[in-house]
Amino acid sequence: MKFSIPGIFCLLAFHSAVFAQHHIIDSLRLDLERQQDEKKAAGILDTTMRDTSMIFTLTRLAFLHSRNNMDSGKYYANQVVDLSKRIDFKMGLGDAYGLLGSISKTESNYSAAIDYHLKAIQIRTALKDSFGMAASNANLGEVYRLKASYPEALKYFLISLRIDEAIKNEKGIAYAYNYLGSVYKSLKDNERALENFNAALAINQKLGLDKGISGGFNNIGLIYFESGKYAEALDNYQASLKIKEKNDDKYGMANSLINIAEVYKKQGKHREAMEKLNDALKFQQEIDDQEGIAATYISMSGSLMETQKMEDASSLLTKAISISKEIGNLDDVQEAYESFAHLDSMNGNYKQSLEHYKMFVTTRDSITNQANTKKLVETQMQYDFDKKETLAKAEQDKKDMVAQRKLQRQKLIRNGFISGFAVVLLFAGIFLMQRNKIKQGKKLSDELLLNILPAEVAEELKAKGSAEAKLIDMVTVLFTDIIGFTEIASTMGPGELVNGINSCFSAFDRIIQEHGIEKIKTIGDSYMAAGGLPTPNTTHAVDVVNAALAMQQFMKEHKELKMAAGQTFFEIRLGIHTGPVVAGIVGVKKFQYDIWGDTVNTASRIESAGQAGMVNISSTTYAYAKDKFSCTPRGHINVKGKGEVEMYFVERAI
């Protein structure tokens, strides 16, 4: 069983610690009611000041509820969002998004957690809030760690560490050591993990931070457990539990109890283990920790099998699989199937054992195949790009060699002439040749730059050596995504796969150029473009929708041709949304023009809710383009991280 992830997580919620101090919560609620009454009595004279005060009170209430009563935490955090937007109070909005991200993470809604933390990072970066930036990057990294996306997790953990070191934030540095330790533990490097956990514990003990100390004991216990040192592991787990009980940290108590139960199981004490697991389950059900409940069911099934209670074990594994599939936790799904295979084998049902083992292998492979397929495509594309660059350089070198030989011949001719006039003509010819060569080189570099950046941005970069990021009030963003790409990719060779994607994306490049919109980037099998930038215009929505219709028409023809030839074909979802974005250049090597903001995230969600062959647009885009197109209303559709979003299918241009 793998209970190290929830065990580590109890330490890593940087801005989401909860102390169940009910008298403080009651006091805050009374204070909030008083502020609301005073605001009504005061009218509008000092509304902003009173709203700001209410935001701070609501934020504290959301913070205190965010572990033990997540529904209340979300309720207060969403009130902060609404009120902060109303008075344009960025700091309150950033805090609310951070809290909503941490709550979503606890609920195992990782997609929503990532969206919220990215919003918090964007706001806190604009405010130059170093403490908030460090916390948000750390929390985002933890979401990726829970998803087993270790490169992304490490990226955000290191950003957090650099910020904390720069501002000399000892508490943040301690958390950073824990983040790094958690990654090393996931990668089975226990020696380095223990080194980082001990360093973090020392800082937290120096600062007297209960939350950090309890987490440190827990994490060190995990390393001892995996090393087979069960007595040392139990000592650390119990020390951690004692602190969590003092602070009424139900999420943390559940994790410590699970880890203590795992030690008892290793020692053959299954009755004691079940007692601890039942105690943990009560806490998890109280706070609706679905991921924890599924993991506890799997752990319980192990003890039940050891005590020959096979039907009870089977029932719990079935529940664990159902919960884990619903929340998208494939790690627990594969672990439950593996346990099921063992259970069937113990019952002598070898045929069913084989079926469950096949399901375990299929789930396990799906976890790695998704990442491997995407990496394969990206590597192949990078290879093709580098190959083209190499061929272009070789062609240029060939031209340079020809020019050099011509120059040498000119020198021989020059030496053969006696007349000074001939010498003058010779040097004039060389000068013109070199000038033409420089012009050709400049033209080539300009063309390459325009392939990467919009013309306006490229000119600014050439003139100033840099290009400033800009807020553009209204643009229209387009996303496409190949449907069932992972499954399709598994049936095609790398060359065939890349050629197929390249064929489609090359057609998309031509279409967006014809309609005057900008390609932003491709990400694996996704294609992103936008209208109304870098120079704002009033036709961006119509331009992008026309381009989208042309893209879907191309894909329809592509499908017909491939089907006629008996070959694999692609179909795409396509989504469009209109709103403000921040646009600018990212990177210093292989830099690119990119855009950020909620508009981009929403466009991606609109695309995910689309259908094959259709152009799916938001109600915002519809408002800008409805006079030019015939559209079919889809009503309000629930999308992850956004709630109910009104959408339309575009049928045709009018």
Side-chain angles (χ1 to χ4, degrees), residues 573-641:
R573 285 185 297 264
L574 193 152
I576 299 173
H577 180 57
T578 302
V581 300
V582 175
I585 295 175
V586 292
V588 293
K589 298 181 74 174
K590 294 187 178 179
F591 49 74
Q592 68 176 50
Y593 184 71
D594 207 348
I595 57 178
W596 305 269
D598 188 59
T599 299
V600 178
N601 297 331
T602 302
S604 176
R605 293 290 181 263
I606 299 291
E607 174 268 307
S608 298
Q611 294 180 10
M614 303 301 293
V615 174
N616 192 33
I617 65 174
S618 68
S619 58
T620 309
T621 304
Y622 173 75
Y624 280 87
K626 61 184 178 181
D627 295 335
K628 301 291 184 180
F629 302 95
S630 174
C631 301
T632 301
R634 300 185 66 196
H636 289 78
I637 296 175
N638 188 276
V639 295
K640 286 186 178 180

Side-chain angles (χ1 to χ4, degrees), residues 298-367:
I298 296 171
S299 182
M300 284 179 163
S301 71
S303 286
L304 290 169
M305 280 188 270
E306 291 295 330
T307 54
Q308 300 300 310
K309 296 178 180 178
M310 302 304 186
E311 289 186 9
D312 292 340
S314 176
S315 175
L316 289 180
L317 287 173
T318 301
K319 291 179 182 179
I321 290 171
S322 176
I323 293 171
S324 299
K325 284 184 175 180
E326 185 176 347
I327 66 176
N329 188 334
L330 293 181
D331 283 329
D332 279 352
V333 172
Q334 69 161 340
E335 192 167 355
Y337 277 137
E338 186 177 26
S339 296
F340 242 139
H342 180 58
L343 171 63
D344 293 329
S345 178
M346 291 177 67
N347 285 334
N349 190 348
Y350 300 114
K351 182 178 180 181
Q352 188 61 36
S353 176
L354 179 60
E355 290 303 313
H356 277 128
Y357 187 76
K358 287 179 180 178
M359 293 178 187
F360 156 70
V361 172
T362 300
T363 308
R364 181 196 63 192
D365 291 348
S366 73
I367 295 172

Side-chain angles (χ1 to χ4, degrees), residues 184 188-198 223 227:
Y184 287 128
K188 307 302 182 185
D189 189 345
N190 287 343
E191 183 177 348
R192 295 182 72 177
L194 188 60
E195 178 184 334
N196 281 279
F197 289 148
N198 276 317
I223 301 301
S227 303

Side-chain angles (χ1 to χ4, degrees), residues 170-291:
E170 282 191 283
K171 185 191 292 187
I173 293 170
Y175 279 110
Y177 280 131
N178 275 307
Y179 295 137
L180 293 171
S182 69
V183 173
Y184 287 128
K185 184 186 179 305
S186 297
L187 296 173
K188 307 302 182 185
D189 189 345
N190 287 343
E191 183 177 348
R192 295 182 72 177
L194 188 60
E195 178 184 334
N196 281 279
F197 289 148
N198 276 317
L201 179 60
I203 294 175
N204 283 311
Q205 287 175 325
K206 171 189 169 185
L207 298 175
L209 300 174
D210 278 357
K211 197 74 176 178
I213 296 169
S214 68
F217 282 132
N218 186 77
N219 292 339
I220 292 168
L222 291 168
I223 301 301
Y224 281 130
F225 178 84
E226 292 198 353
S227 303
K229 299 178 179 180
Y230 301 126
E232 292 89 339
L234 189 59
D235 287 342
N236 279 279
Y237 289 154
Q238 289 173 336
S240 176
L241 177 61
K242 186 176 180 180
I243 298 172
K244 292 167 184 173
E245 288 174 337
K246 183 179 76 172
N247 292 316
D248 194 27
D249 178 4
K250 295 178 181 178
Y251 185 87
M253 285 189 283
N255 288 322
S256 288
L257 288 165
I258 290 170
N259 289 328
I260 290 171
E262 289 300 302
V263 174
Y264 285 148
K265 286 165 66 176
K266 289 292 185 180
Q267 295 173 334
K269 301 176 181 179
H270 294 290
R271 181 179 61 79
E272 292 89 340
M274 286 298 291
E275 289 176 357
K276 297 298 182 184
L277 290 171
N278 275 309
D279 289 341
L281 188 61
K282 291 176 185 176
F283 289 129
Q284 291 164 338
Q285 290 171 336
E286 191 174 336
I287 63 175
D288 194 30
D289 176 13
Q290 292 297 308
E291 182 182 38

